[in-house]
Amino acid sequence: MLKKKKIELIPYKKIDAPLGLKKIKLVDLKNERGLLSLLSLKTIKNNLKKKKKTLLFLNRKGFSRLLICQDCGYSKHLSSTESAPAVCFDCSGTNLREHSFGTRRLEYEIKKLFPKAKVLRLDKENESFLNLKSKILNHDIIIATSYIFKYNLTFDSIVIILADIGLSLPDFRGEEELFSTLFRALKLGKEKIIQTFYPEHRVIKYLLLDNFKSFAEEELKIRAQNNYPPFTTLIRLTCAGKNARGEAAKLVGLLNKLNQSDNSPNEILGPAPVFIQPKGNLKYEIILKGKNPYPLLSLVPETWKVDVDPVELLK
């Protein structure tokens, strides 16, 4: 597809320097007892002795409840209403653990392990008052989400706490976004550590190879096979309110009827509850996917939100 010039690839290396492959250390968390590996703890300890700074990076997008199989590394994001399964979907093992490992929890653990260290947490909750680089540089350990990208800083070491976050989210762009996020994060540290339950995953593999072109080629093949953009048009319909479920079911019935009568190749997915539900409300979605799903919009009530080629598929 890239070779046929239907889709143009903009090489990131024209604007970004290589990651420095020899400096990346990969940790398989299946061999560790927790989400802070022995290598990461040793790195933090050595940095404190040498008065060097460590960045602990946690990709928080969609990260509310994470189920991890300690046997095979399978991970799954759980919605607020979803129950944890009794056995692993991949290996049928029962050694499942649910984690809620956000920045607050990580800050608590780090302060307990390194009580004399100056620890700073930088995320959406406290980003507003951290408007100077000096406030960040005055600390030994910085725990951060993607908010750290706002600052042009380089740290002695960076630890990607859990590279798997984002892989199991119901969003076809998830792996592309994860590659981009991890690439940007890794560039912030001279010494780089990636912690993951999936060291063999293609996102991790191509990051280690510093090869975005091959990742993009494979990603495009998968999207073409599954009928996703840029090969089709995607339209997301959402409705919120106490009657959202019933309204969604009614609309899907009408959409399917019109779709069948027109012998349309379009797909209608749903209805389904939105993955991240708004507080105190109920929200449902319907996905229209195909070469020309626009005629179906004639049946959509004005109370529904229509998003063509949506950027967000989780909220």
Side-chain angles (χ1 to χ4, degrees):
M1 296 159 193
L2 293 177
K3 294 178 181 178
K4 293 179 181 179
K5 302 296 182 182
K6 291 182 179 180
I7 300 170
E8 182 182 359
L9 175 67
I10 301 174
Y12 67 87
K13 288 184 181 179
K14 286 187 178 180
I15 54 175
D16 285 311
L19 286 175
L21 304 181
K22 294 181 180 179
K23 298 180 181 179
I24 300 178
K25 299 175 183 177
L26 189 63
V27 176
D28 188 345
L29 286 175
K30 292 192 292 293
N31 302 323
E32 302 288 336
R33 292 186 177 181
L35 289 182
L36 277 169
S37 65
L38 292 176
L39 175 61
S40 298
L41 292 172
K42 182 180 178 181
T43 299
I44 296 170
K45 187 176 181 180
N46 289 340
N47 281 351
L48 289 172
K49 285 182 179 179
K50 298 176 182 179
K51 299 189 182 303
K52 292 184 175 182
K53 300 187 183 302
T54 306
L55 171 63
L56 304 180
F57 182 81
L58 188 61
N59 180 23
R60 285 280 290 125
K61 182 171 182 180
F63 186 29
S64 50
R65 298 166 60 211
L66 184 67
L67 185 73
I68 297 175
C69 176
Q70 300 295 129
D71 295 328
C72 71
Y74 171 81
S75 63
K76 174 179 171 57
H77 289 78
L78 301 174
S79 67
S80 58
T81 58
E82 193 174 0
S83 299
V87 297
C88 174
F89 293 117
D90 268 13
C91 71
S92 299
T94 57
N95 191 13
L96 299 173
R97 291 181 61 186
E98 186 177 324
H99 296 273
S100 294
F101 209 79
T103 49
R104 276 191 183 183
R105 171 71 184 279
L106 184 57
E107 180 185 27
Y108 171 78
E109 294 292 338
I110 289 296
K111 285 183 175 179
K112 189 167 65 173
L113 290 167
F114 304 100
K116 294 183 179 180
K118 293 181 179 179
V119 181
L120 178 67
R121 174 169 56 90
L122 176 60
D123 55 19
K124 189 175 182 179
E125 288 185 359
N126 62 5
E127 189 267 347
S128 59
F129 66 84
L130 296 171
N131 53 7
L132 296 176
K133 292 182 182 180
S134 58
K135 290 186 178 180
I136 299 176
L137 294 174
N138 193 34
H139 291 77
D140 306 308
I141 303 170
I142 294 84
I143 298 166
T145 61
S146 57
Y147 277 90
I148 195 67
F149 297 153
K150 295 183 178 183
Y151 303 89
N152 186 24
L153 295 170
T154 301
F155 299 85
D156 296 292
S157 302
I158 179 173
V159 179
I160 307 294
I161 297 298
L162 187 57
D164 309 348
I165 295 174
L167 290 179
S168 61
L169 291 171
D171 187 342
F172 74 94
R173 294 190 185 93
E175 294 182 1
E176 174 193 357
E177 291 183 0
L178 181 61
F179 187 100
S180 174
T181 299
L182 295 183
F183 179 84
R184 292 180 70 187
L186 287 169
K187 291 183 69 63
L188 300 179
K190 298 174 184 177
E191 179 185 16
K192 313 167 196 293
I193 299 174
I194 298 178
Q195 299 189 153
T196 176
F197 280 98
Y198 277 114
E200 71 286 352
H201 194 280
R202 64 192 185 88
V203 170
I204 306 299
K205 178 180 72 174
Y206 289 124
L207 269 174
L208 294 177
L209 293 173
D210 201 5
N211 191 341
F212 176 73
K213 182 180 179 182
S214 295
F215 171 80
E217 289 277 10
E218 189 170 335
E219 178 72 12
L220 285 170
K221 287 179 182 178
I222 293 172
R223 292 195 188 184
Q225 291 168 0
N226 292 284
N227 207 27
Y228 276 113
F231 306 98
T232 59
T233 297
L234 198 71
I235 300 178
R236 188 187 192 214
L237 312 176
T238 54
C239 175
K242 61 180 181 180
N243 299 320
R245 182 177 180 179
E247 290 183 30
K250 181 181 178 181
L251 179 56
V252 160
L254 296 173
L255 291 170
N256 280 322
K257 190 174 181 180
L258 177 59
N259 202 40
Q260 291 168 4
S261 65
D262 287 348
N263 294 318
S264 173
N266 295 306
E267 294 180 63
I268 299 173
L269 307 177
V274 170
F275 185 80
I276 301 176
Q277 287 288 321
K279 291 183 178 180
N281 210 343
L282 183 63
K283 190 174 182 180
Y284 267 73
E285 68 178 357
I286 300 169
I287 303 294
L288 309 180
K289 186 170 64 167
K291 296 295 183 183
N292 183 26
Y294 295 103
L296 295 172
L297 296 180
S298 63
L299 297 176
V300 180
E302 293 183 358
T303 53
W304 281 70
K305 180 181 178 181
V306 178
D307 193 350
V308 179
D309 291 328
V311 175
E312 177 64 69
L313 288 173
L314 299 176
K315 297 181 180 179

